[in-house]
Amino acid sequence: MKESYVIGIDFGTDSVRALVVNANTGEQVGTAVQEYPRWKQGKYCDAGVSQFRQHPLDYLESLENAVLNALDQAPPALRQQVRGISVDTTGSTPVAVDSNGTPLALLPEFAENPNGMFVLWKDHTANAEAEEINRLAHSYDIDFTKYVGGIYSSEWFWAKILRTLRVDESVREQAFSWVEHCDWISAELTGITDPLLLKRSRCAAGHKALWHQEFDGLPSNAFFKELDPLLDGLRDRLFTDTATSDEPMGTISEKWSQKLGIPADVVIGVGAFDAHMGAVGALIEPYSLCKVVGTSTCDMLVAPNDEVGHLLIKGICGQVDGSIVPGMLGMEAGQSAFGDIYAWFSKLIIEPVRTLLGEEEAAQLSKKLIPHLAEQAAKLPVTEKDIIAIDWLNGRRTPDAKHTLKGGLLGLNLASDSARIFKALVEATAYGSKAIVERFRSEGVPIHQVIAIGGVAKKSAFVMQTLADVLNMPIKVAASEQACALGAAMFASVAAGVHPGLQEAQEAMSSGFDAVYQPREAQSAVYQQLYQKYLEAGAYIENEFLQKAHLQLT
């Protein structure tokens, strides 16, 4: 039997990863990572106002380099056996496009304009717009937020569009439509980028753009016009129908076939968000919480529609039929910062070293600091008097999105050293995860097990053990270093017809699990008490500190 190969492409926050997989055996024959050069230089971003933008050239150039480098690791003849490609991306990461589907930043007059670029998932410049969407939706005849947890986020599609249209007249005049990164890059590979023709991802549309079958697609134009006349008519230039990721987007274009040196009949699958495809790569099953643990977290659940489809789960990032596994209800939650919190604390320590002692010393410290802090923190006892940290350093995604919230440290004294503070920060991220688990359970959705993927899950035993202790549940870590790209490859194999369905693709291509963290009874008992303190401290920050003191922390 002739072997078939597929390519999964995973666009992360900092880089793109390409994975070449034997669709028949699951053997991974080539993988490569390519950083985004402009992003790495900090271009088009302003962290002080939570502006994070990425240039489409970063995506195109890095995609080509990563795929070519991955293919170079395999025998040359293998290129002619590539059958399909599928892509996952961060999200919601939309871009303004012209009538041809060209991102405005690829036009000369917008080449250096951040508002013509992709608005990255963690961009929070649209906090005010998100609040306006919520106010109107909650008073409207139909609450269009009811399938996204009842709260619309500044990280999502419509808030970012409205903000951009308000602040940039040139974009307002030239933007014909808007496209999510996962849709645009998949369409770009086919050469059919017309925003009125390209297939739109069910995953992106349902979780971030308020799409639902009940609404016959997107919310009504009347709703958007009342929100702001700038949105009048845009609905007609977007989409009504959506597609799940087991469907083909189309066939690869001649341009990309030649660039990558692969056959002209390679099928390009419909894209999706990274966490959703990562959950598939990690063998998600009903009522398993799959945590993609990296700079932030995305928490995925699937369940049969006939068992939970009648529920409206409050405070999560959406519930969408087929957004993760076709035929099942996909549910998403997550934390706006996880590994980013550890990186912040590391930077807090390293930057004075850089200033005083130079780049070389800072670089050496940077490699050793987090592993050292984790080692020291692991030796500390867990007691009821420990420091409590709140993990909202980048706001709160779920439960109950509010990105204007801030983090905190409570219970410091003169014995509070770096290891104890680091331990508290790690525990805070675990408490944030527990809050998500408890919300699902309180809304009637059971969780039977936890699966973890991502950089933190693979690299930090201390973090994962703490998480298991706080959740008081075992955590299985997927073996694949590239679970998101592997999930994309699985979808590619189905879209290309190599496998008849996703279950068959998972069975043939899975890498399994390589670690299990069991909760420790003594630590878990103390953490249940500390978690209550975390909830009380969070309530104080959210209700007392921000509201009664009237501090404008935005």
Side-chain angles (χ1 to χ4, degrees):
M1 180 181 67
K2 184 179 180 180
E3 302 286 1
S4 297
Y5 292 84
V6 289
I7 302 174
I9 302 173
D10 169 35
F11 284 88
T13 299
D14 302 317
S15 59
V16 61
R17 303 154 186 82
L19 182 67
V20 183
V21 186
N22 185 320
N24 305 108
T25 67
E27 179 188 5
Q28 299 180 13
V29 298
T31 183
V33 179
Q34 182 69 45
E35 293 183 322
Y36 309 136
R38 296 164 189 81
W39 171 262
K40 188 176 181 181
Q41 296 171 32
K43 287 189 171 184
Y44 317 119
C45 298
D46 183 351
V49 294
S50 293
Q51 174 182 301
F52 298 99
R53 310 294 164 86
Q54 292 185 328
H55 202 289
L57 286 177
D58 267 358
Y59 297 152
L60 295 174
E61 295 166 358
S62 299
L63 163 66
E64 182 177 357
N65 289 333
V67 173
L68 289 175
N69 289 338
L71 286 169
D72 283 345
Q73 297 170 26
L78 180 147
R79 291 175 184 244
Q80 298 310 308
Q81 296 172 266
V82 174
R83 297 279 304 280
I85 297 175
S86 284
V87 171
D88 69 72
T89 72
T90 65
S92 178
T93 301
V95 70
V97 299
D98 65 13
S99 59
N100 296 316
T102 302
L104 297 189
L106 293 180
L107 304 177
E109 61 270 35
F110 290 94
E112 297 298 317
N113 184 343
N115 295 320
M117 300 175 190
F118 285 86
V119 186
L120 192 63
W121 64 270
K122 67 178 183 177
D123 187 297
H124 291 164
T125 54
N127 283 332
E129 284 71 19
E131 287 301 315
E132 291 178 49
I133 292 171
N134 285 314
R135 283 197 297 270
L136 178 59
H138 298 162
S139 63
Y140 209 70
D141 294 341
I142 302 173
D143 185 351
F144 291 112
T145 69
K146 65 181 180 178
Y147 294 108
V148 292
I151 302 176
Y152 201 75
S153 167
S154 63
E155 293 183 347
W156 298 351
F157 191 74
W158 286 106
K160 291 175 173 178
I161 291 173
L162 181 54
R163 174 67 178 177
T164 307
L165 294 177
R166 283 176 170 175
V167 302
D168 196 316
E169 182 179 358
S170 62
V171 171
R172 193 161 65 239
E173 292 176 350
Q174 294 297 320
F176 174 78
S177 188
W178 294 75
V179 183
E180 277 285 356
H181 182 195
C182 67
D183 295 333
W184 176 75
I185 199 71
S186 302
E188 162 66 24
L189 288 170
T190 70
I192 303 173
T193 57
D194 185 330
L196 301 181
L197 298 178
L198 66 89
K199 290 183 179 179
R200 306 285 186 138
S201 165
R202 172 78 57 87
C203 168
H207 285 284
K208 312 300 181 185
L210 297 175
W211 180 91
H212 196 272
Q213 295 97 324
E214 181 185 322
F215 311 144
D216 294 322
L218 298 168
S220 66
N221 185 67
F223 172 81
F224 289 122
K225 185 177 179 180
E226 185 171 339
L227 178 63
D228 193 308
L230 291 175
L231 298 174
D232 186 16
L234 178 57
R235 185 186 191 273
D236 293 335
R237 303 194 303 275
L238 288 168
F239 55 92
T240 300
D241 299 320
T242 63
T244 53
S245 293
D246 55 339
E247 298 182 36
M249 174 72 81
T251 304
I252 195 168
S253 68
E254 181 181 358
K255 178 183 76 172
W256 279 101
S257 172
Q258 293 178 356
K259 276 179 177 284
L260 302 179
I262 56 179
D265 61 350
V266 168
V267 173
I268 308 300
V270 170
F273 290 152
D274 46 7
H276 297 70
M277 284 192 169
V280 168
L283 300 183
I284 193 170
E285 57 188 72
Y287 305 112
S288 294
L289 181 72
C290 182
K291 294 185 67 66
V292 185
V293 189
T295 56
S296 63
T297 76
C298 206
D299 297 359
M300 318 307 303
L301 269 174
V302 297
N305 280 287
D306 59 358
E307 294 180 11
V308 300
H310 64 287
L311 300 175
L312 289 177
I313 305 155
K314 297 177 183 177
I316 65 169
C317 301
Q319 51 189 85
V320 183
D321 180 21
S323 64
I324 303 171
V325 174
M328 287 197 178
L329 187 70
M331 294 160 277
E332 177 190 339
Q335 293 163 264
S336 292
F338 200 96
D340 266 352
I341 294 176
Y342 315 152
W344 163 78
F345 188 58
S346 175
K347 184 178 180 180
L348 200 68
I349 295 171
I350 291 171
E351 283 308 304
V353 175
R354 189 186 315 278
T355 302
L356 296 172
L357 301 180
E359 289 288 341
E360 184 175 347
E361 286 76 5
Q364 291 179 6
L365 178 59
S366 180
K367 294 177 182 179
K368 301 176 181 178
L369 182 59
I370 294 296
H372 169 75
L373 290 173
E375 181 182 357
Q376 296 304 307
K379 298 175 182 177
L380 296 171
V382 179
T383 76
E384 297 175 27
K385 297 181 179 180
D386 284 351
I387 300 167
I388 296 292
I390 304 299
D391 58 314
W392 302 333
L393 273 69
N394 197 30
R396 184 180 65 210
R397 183 181 296 160
T398 47
D400 305 320
K402 184 177 289 188
H403 290 291
T404 54
L405 290 174
K406 307 298 177 182
L409 284 165
L410 295 87
L412 296 174
N413 58 39
L414 293 177
S416 302
D417 57 20
S418 58
R420 285 176 170 81
I421 294 175
F422 180 74
K423 173 176 171 288
L425 293 172
V426 171
E427 291 167 343
T429 55
Y431 299 146
S433 296
K434 185 174 178 65
I436 292 170
V437 169
E438 294 303 312
R439 174 57 60 89
F440 275 117
R441 287 172 170 166
S442 69
E443 292 289 310
V445 181
I447 294 176
H448 297 160
Q449 66 171 343
V450 179
I451 299 168
I453 64 175
V456 174
K458 299 295 289 184
K459 295 176 183 177
S460 180
F462 170 66
V463 173
M464 299 312 296
Q465 184 61 61
T466 301
L467 186 59
D469 292 340
V470 170
L471 295 179
N472 198 21
M473 297 174 68
I475 299 176
K476 298 194 300 186
V477 179
S480 177
E481 297 279 353
Q482 307 289 356
C484 295
L486 179 58
M490 291 174 177
F491 273 116
S493 74
V494 179
V498 179
H499 294 294
L502 190 58
Q503 182 176 348
E504 292 83 355
Q506 289 177 306
E507 291 173 354
M509 300 169 67
S510 168
S511 297
F513 303 93
D514 64 0
V516 179
Y517 292 90
Q518 297 289 346
R520 298 170 296 181
E521 184 176 352
Q523 284 85 345
S524 292
V526 180
Y527 277 135
Q528 305 321 303
Q529 300 176 51
L530 291 173
Y531 175 66
Q532 295 304 314
K533 293 185 178 181
Y534 165 86
L535 294 177
E536 294 169 5
Y540 172 77
I541 288 176
E542 184 169 5
N543 300 318
E544 303 291 333
F545 187 59
L546 291 184
Q547 294 181 19
K548 291 187 178 179
H550 300 288
L551 294 179
Q552 301 301 310
L553 299 179
T554 58

